[in-house]
Amino acid sequence: MATGLLAGCTLTPVYGDVAVSGQNVALSYAEPQTRLEQLVYRTLSARLGAPNAAAPQFSADVSSSATRIGLSDVAGPVSEYKLTVTITYRLERDSAELASGTRSATAGYRTNGQIIADDAARTAAEEQAAKAAAETVRLALLADLQAQ
C-alpha cells in the first residue's frame, strides 16, 4: 500500500529549468555595441522570453579581462589564464530606473603559443563566462521585479 502511495509522488528541482520555465519577463533590449553584449541579450531573451518593444528597456555594458594564473614564470609553451566577464546592467521604463547592478563570472583557458588556437580558447572562455554572468543577471532581474 505504501508503494502505491509513493508512486504518485514526484520530486522536481527548485533551481532548474523546470522551476523557471514559466517565468517570462517582457523586456526590450538596447542595440548591442559588442559581440559580448549581443551574446548577453540573446541569452537573456532565450531565457526570459522574446523581446517586446513596449516593455521596459534592458541595457548592458559588458567587459572582459584576462589574468595569467600561476605562481612562477616557468619557460614553457602552456600558460593558464582566468577570464572575467563583467556585466553592468540597467532596466528602465520612461527614464525611470527599475533595476540595475553588476554581475561577473569567470572561466579558465590555456594558451600554447599558437595564435589561432589561443584566440579560439579566449573566445570560448569569453562566451562561457558571458553566458554564466547573463544567468546571474536573469536571476537578479527576476528577484528585483518580483520585489516591486
Side-chain angles (χ1 to χ4, degrees), residues 24-66:
N24 287 337
V25 176
L27 296 177
S28 64
Y29 297 94
E31 191 68 31
Q33 301 301 312
T34 65
R35 182 184 62 81
L36 286 178
E37 284 179 17
Q38 181 179 14
L39 181 62
V40 168
Y41 294 160
R42 189 175 53 211
T43 301
L44 287 174
S45 67
R47 300 282 285 158
L48 293 174
N52 181 346
Q57 186 178 43
F58 177 87
S59 61
D61 291 321
V62 183
S63 62
S64 68
S65 64

Side-chain angles (χ1 to χ4, degrees), residues 13 17 33 45-46 48 66 70 76 86 89 100 104 106 117 124 131 138-139:
D17 290 338
Q33 301 301 312
S45 67
L48 293 174
T86 302
Y89 67 92
S100 66
S104 297
T106 61
K131 288 177 182 179
R138 181 186 70 85
L139 294 172

Side-chain angles (χ1 to χ4, degrees), residues 12 38 42 54 58 82 88 109 122 136-137 146:
T12 56
Q38 181 179 14
R42 189 175 53 211
F58 177 87
K82 178 177 83 169
T88 302
Y109 71 100
R122 182 183 171 106
T136 63
V137 168
Q146 189 173 24

